[in-house]
Amino acid sequence: MSEEEEQEEMSPEKILGVYEGGRNTITGEREGQGVNRFPNGDIYKGEYKKGVRQGPGKYFWKKPIAKYSGTYENHKKEGYGLMKYPDGSSYDGQFHEGRRHGDGTYTYPNGDTYIGQWENGKKHGKGTHTFKQDGNQYIGVWRAGQIIRGVWKIKDGSYYVGQFDKQRPNVEGRYVMVNGNSITGTFKEETKSFEVPIEKEPTEQAEEAEEQAEEANEPQMRKVEKISLRQFIPQVLSQSTPATVEADFDIQIQEGELDLPPEPEPKKEGEEEEEQAEEQ
């Protein structure tokens, strides 16, 4: 069970078990309050309707130890609930079809917290991630689990406002210092490949010893690819005012901002080999 996924396994062997509780007098299906003890040691205590978990209930996982307390619909978490995970993390908020969806608070094992909106089990919408270790915060708009625009608020009072990529400031933005000085600029990122020497493992073959000694003087090279270098390029210096600071933190979702980008088309047979040959 992780931050991104906590749905209960619904395999036939898990649905079966020892049940004690109410039943429909006509159909014999589970209905009303009941307790089900599963073969794997899990326990559900709560409401049933037409044979499925429906309404308020509690689910206890035996291994690994975890607990959910909230509402169900058709066997899945739905509406408000509190989920405590095996790693010590927890989620307090809304669920839909078994996943975090709506407003909720996720507390990480290290004490970090995210308070905000979720969709399909991921951070999606407006939210704030607070880092316990240093008190810094990411405040802004999240899409599919990643912050894409907002404020990086630093404990000393300074902050960055702008766009993000892969959880880091990117593209363009503005740094505001504690004294109010403001620096607007853009980010330049390059991906470079470097060749670094590596040692060749010695062989135990006696007849190759002389050849090994000669080759030892020549460094063996290995290509290391996709090393990203990012640089902030200042463009405009200015002075912040209370009005600009207020506007920086008044973050609203823009039209189309939460739309997921289209998935890349799968490469045709042979294209990947051609790209690798060009890079070498």
Side-chain angles (χ1 to χ4, degrees):
M1 254 175 270
S2 66
E3 177 198 350
E4 303 301 339
E5 182 69 45
E6 75 281 343
Q7 293 198 67
E8 298 156 25
E9 295 289 340
M10 292 306 302
S11 54
E13 63 271 16
K14 190 170 182 181
I15 296 177
L16 300 176
V18 179
Y19 173 76
E20 298 176 359
R23 290 187 180 274
N24 186 292
T25 57
I26 299 175
T27 64
E29 293 178 314
R30 302 174 184 183
E31 192 160 320
Q33 282 287 331
V35 178
N36 197 85
R37 292 177 171 82
F38 299 94
N40 65 355
D42 291 359
I43 299 175
Y44 170 75
K45 299 179 179 180
E47 290 286 333
Y48 282 88
K49 187 175 182 180
K50 295 183 179 180
V52 299
R53 297 193 287 273
Q54 184 88 8
K58 296 180 180 180
Y59 194 104
F60 304 87
W61 284 262
K62 181 179 180 180
K63 187 177 182 181
I65 297 175
K67 177 184 177 181
Y68 170 76
S69 178
T71 56
Y72 279 89
E73 184 173 324
N74 194 26
H75 265 319
K76 295 181 179 180
K77 308 179 192 73
E78 187 74 25
Y80 172 75
L82 173 61
M83 180 74 200
K84 295 184 177 181
Y85 300 95
D87 61 2
S89 62
S90 65
Y91 173 76
D92 187 350
Q94 297 294 315
F95 287 86
H96 178 58
E97 294 188 349
R99 295 174 180 264
R100 293 182 288 274
H101 193 100
D103 294 326
T105 299
Y106 185 89
T107 303
Y108 291 80
N110 65 356
D112 289 3
T113 59
Y114 170 81
I115 302 175
Q117 297 173 325
W118 298 77
E119 184 174 300
N120 199 28
K122 295 182 179 180
K123 308 179 191 76
H124 196 83
K126 294 173 64 174
T128 299
H129 185 118
T130 302
F131 299 89
K132 182 180 179 180
Q133 184 175 4
D134 53 21
N136 295 343
Q137 291 181 309
Y138 279 174
I139 307 168
V141 179
W142 301 70
R143 183 176 62 203
Q146 302 283 323
I147 186 170
I148 58 172
R149 181 176 61 84
V151 174
W152 173 22
K153 184 180 179 182
I154 303 172
K155 187 177 181 180
D156 64 6
S158 60
Y159 64 90
Y160 161 88
V161 57
Q163 299 183 49
F164 288 76
D165 181 50
K166 298 177 181 178
Q167 307 290 60
R168 298 186 299 172
N170 194 28
V171 186
E172 62 182 359
R174 178 162 43 88
Y175 283 97
V176 179
M177 311 305 169
V178 177
N179 60 7
N181 290 338
S182 179
I183 306 174
T184 302
T186 59
F187 289 88
K188 181 181 179 181
E189 183 170 345
E190 296 181 303
T191 300
K192 295 185 177 181
S193 298
F194 296 86
E195 288 189 346
V196 296
I198 58 173
E199 297 180 358
K200 187 175 181 179
E201 296 183 1
T203 177
E204 297 180 358
Q205 301 292 334
E207 61 270 16
E208 296 182 5
E210 185 175 349
E211 182 180 352
Q212 291 270 335
E214 293 177 357
E215 293 180 354
N217 296 324
E218 300 179 3
Q220 304 297 313
M221 308 302 289
R222 178 184 62 182
K223 182 177 286 187
V224 179
E225 298 183 358
K226 296 184 179 179
I227 296 180
S228 296
L229 303 176
R230 180 175 297 189
Q231 180 182 7
F232 180 71
I233 304 174
Q235 294 178 335
V236 179
L237 301 179
S238 60
Q239 184 70 24
S240 292
T241 66
T244 60
V245 173
E246 182 179 356
D248 288 341
F249 284 85
D250 183 21
I251 301 168
Q252 302 298 326
I253 298 175
Q254 300 172 359
E255 184 177 356
E257 193 169 27
L258 298 182
D259 294 344
L260 297 177
E263 296 183 2
E265 296 182 2
K267 295 180 180 179
K268 296 180 180 179
E269 186 176 355
E271 287 184 355
E272 191 169 331
E273 288 78 1
E274 291 178 2
E275 290 181 2
Q276 292 176 353
E278 292 175 358
E279 293 174 355
Q280 292 178 354

